[in-house]
Amino acid sequence: MVWLWWLGGALVLAVVETLSADLTFIMIAGGALGGAAAAGLGANLTVQVIVFCVVSVLLLFLVRPWAKAQLARRTPHMLTNVEAKIGREATALTAVDIHGGRVLLAGEEWSARLADPQADHPAPPVIPAGAHVRVISVDGAVAVVRSE
């Protein structure tokens, strides 16, 4: 009957893992399953705790690093926050020049300035309101843009 307590502990740890997503609690849950197996085979409580500890430590130090590496390799890199703004199209709300202006970017109003003109992509000295621009970088809270 003690194996049910170990199984319940493993389930609770698995639920906690869904909140942390760090693969720590699921490894300890594996240790609890080891303790449940030891209890199911009739081992005394001392052996059950030893099995729990050994399995947990092995999973934490041998399986967890490998599993995290596999997840990192298979999970696509998602651009977030400022990274997600770079390369997006925006609309000039006011005239935008190298000193400043305002653009509508992803439904939000942003301060903007025109990127320094380059030889391969000459930019007009002022982008008029209503023109479409592309964000090439973000400098603090200012979108640096280039005309489309």
Side-chain angles (χ1 to χ4, degrees):
M1 199 66 170
V2 175
W3 66 271
L4 282 174
W5 286 100
W6 284 108
L7 186 61
L11 291 174
V12 168
L13 288 165
V15 169
V16 171
E17 177 63 38
T18 64
L19 301 174
S20 73
D22 191 39
L23 299 181
T24 300
F25 290 100
I26 199 70
M27 298 301 154
I28 298 171
L33 289 177
L41 294 172
N44 65 28
L45 186 59
T46 304
V47 173
Q48 294 171 32
V49 171
I50 290 171
V51 168
F52 164 74
C53 291
V54 169
V55 171
S56 294
V57 167
L58 288 175
L59 289 174
L60 281 169
F61 291 105
L62 297 178
V63 176
R64 182 175 173 265
W66 173 82
K68 284 189 77 161
Q70 293 299 312
L71 283 175
R73 192 177 57 123
R74 294 181 184 184
T75 303
H77 177 66
M78 299 296 293
L79 297 177
T80 59
N81 301 330
V82 171
E83 290 178 334
K85 307 294 186 207
I86 297 172
R88 295 195 65 174
E89 185 178 295
T91 304
L93 297 173
T94 65
V96 180
D97 61 16
I98 61 170
H99 302 293
R102 306 290 290 170
V103 296
L104 184 65
L105 173 60
E108 300 173 331
E109 189 173 332
W110 278 66
S111 296
R113 69 175 166 80
L114 190 59
D116 295 328
Q118 297 175 349
D120 63 336
H121 196 298
V126 176
I127 296 174
H132 293 285
V133 296
R134 180 130 345 242
V135 177
I136 60 167
S137 67
V138 176
D139 182 17
V142 177
V144 180
V145 299
R146 178 177 289 147
S147 64
E148 280 280 286

